[in-house]
Amino acid sequence: MNTATLSSGTRTTAQLARDVISLFKLRIGVLIMLTALVGMAITPGPAPSAWQVLVLALSVLLASASAGAFNQYVEHESDRLMQRTRRRAFATGALPHHPAWLVLMAALLGGAVASAWLALNAVAALHVFLGAFFYGVVYTLWLKRRTAWNIVIGGLAGSFAVLAGAAAVDPALGPLPWLLALVLFLWTPPHFWSLAIANSTDYAQAGVPMLPVVLGPQRAARVVLVSTVLLFLASLAPLAHGAGVAYGIGALAGGLHFVRKSWALARRPERATAMASFFASLIQLSLLLMAASLDALLR
């Protein structure tokens, strides 16, 4: 076998690995996993073992992966119509669109839920399941093509990860994890709508009634601003329920940055300001999660 053949084989294997990783949306899965770990960290109660922390992280990651893959399996035809998604593995045919994938997705979700049940408790396992169910079924199958408010309810997927982590420590779920779950619920719409404004032509071409397609970019940008302000206010509520100074600093810094960028988007609803608002949402959530973790560590 010559060097060119070896190089070609290596590239093919590497591309296959990239396609599979992309299929399961592991970058999003890691973010959702981190929210679950923060939910565990902020909840008062007996410290979980290292084994339980690992099971929580993997169960949330695998459940998210199964839902992400199911989303791409269902959306493979419309993904071909969108610039942002047309290179996905099912859309290009790089991976075969075969029902065997559904078996694998179901096995991943079943294994994740069962592991959480056995190593943690039934309440944690229920929330692991609900996170995947709301993204894969409620959002992808029921809401995405029926209403411009699809992502609002679909955003509950991230909230359930926080509750899964909290339930692993205390199934009764106190006010702090519920408030952080509310923050995640309110974070998803302005985060996703900012991206949707930047890609509104894609969604219109694919026939997906995202908010900027239905309302137009200008009105949608104003909705993003209002949503971001509500998110910012909600992110301060944990301060009245035991969150400390470290959390407050992170909530203020990240929230004000996101509000500033969404204000710029409302003034000039165009791709550049929409992407700036989208990236600001990621910074806001990252600062909030880090601050909540630090705050729990200092308590």
Side-chain angles (χ1 to χ4, degrees):
M1 184 180 293
N2 59 36
T3 303
T5 304
L6 278 171
S7 177
S8 175
T10 302
R11 285 198 302 271
T12 301
T13 302
Q15 184 59 55
L16 177 62
R18 284 193 293 269
D19 287 337
V20 172
I21 290 171
S22 176
L23 173 66
F24 290 107
K25 298 186 177 182
L26 291 184
R27 284 183 295 181
I28 296 174
V30 168
L31 179 60
I32 293 174
M33 177 188 76
L34 290 175
T35 65
L37 293 175
V38 172
M40 174 181 274
I42 66 171
T43 303
S49 66
W51 169 248
Q52 289 176 313
V53 174
L54 179 62
V55 169
L56 173 70
L58 290 180
S59 63
V60 171
L61 180 62
L62 291 178
S64 172
S66 70
F70 181 75
N71 173 269
Q72 291 196 42
Y73 185 90
V74 171
E75 297 287 329
H76 76 287
E77 291 184 353
S78 62
D79 278 348
R80 295 175 185 144
L81 304 176
M82 298 177 60
Q83 183 76 20
R84 187 174 66 88
T85 59
R86 67 182 184 180
R87 298 186 187 279
R88 287 177 172 175
F90 285 144
T92 63
L95 294 177
H97 189 260
H98 191 278
W101 285 105
L102 295 176
V103 177
L104 176 59
M105 295 168 203
L108 287 175
L109 180 57
V113 173
S115 298
W117 195 321
L118 292 172
L120 303 170
N121 55 62
V123 178
L126 174 63
H127 286 100
V128 169
F129 169 76
L130 288 175
F133 177 77
F134 265 77
Y135 184 74
V137 177
V138 175
Y139 169 68
T140 301
L141 289 184
W142 296 349
L143 298 178
K144 186 172 182 178
R145 295 185 172 276
R146 288 183 171 88
T147 172
W149 306 99
N150 45 27
I151 199 62
V152 176
I153 304 302
L156 282 169
S159 301
F160 285 122
V162 174
L163 297 178
V169 177
D170 181 7
L173 295 174
L176 205 53
W178 278 113
L179 287 171
L180 191 57
L182 173 64
V183 170
L184 263 293
F185 173 69
L186 294 174
W187 176 82
T188 304
H191 161 77
F192 198 88
W193 285 334
S194 295
L195 183 64
I197 290 171
N199 296 283
S200 58
T201 303
D202 267 3
Y203 285 111
Q205 186 172 326
V208 180
M210 285 297 174
L211 194 69
V213 175
V214 175
L215 297 184
Q218 190 165 24
R219 290 176 64 193
R222 290 198 292 266
V223 174
V224 168
L225 175 59
V226 172
S227 301
T228 306
V229 171
L230 290 175
L231 165 65
F232 173 56
L233 295 175
S235 72
L236 300 178
L239 293 170
H241 293 273
V245 175
Y247 174 84
I249 293 172
L252 281 171
L256 289 174
H257 177 63
F258 192 9
V259 168
R260 185 169 66 89
K261 292 299 183 181
S262 64
W263 171 260
L265 171 60
R267 293 183 65 188
R268 289 190 299 112
E270 55 193 42
R271 179 173 175 81
T273 52
M275 290 306 298
S277 178
F278 171 76
F279 287 121
S281 72
L282 295 174
I283 292 171
Q284 188 262 351
L285 182 61
S286 299
L287 285 174
L288 197 71
L289 294 178
M290 287 189 293
S293 301
L294 178 61
D295 193 63
L297 186 64
L298 294 175
R299 275 191 278 121

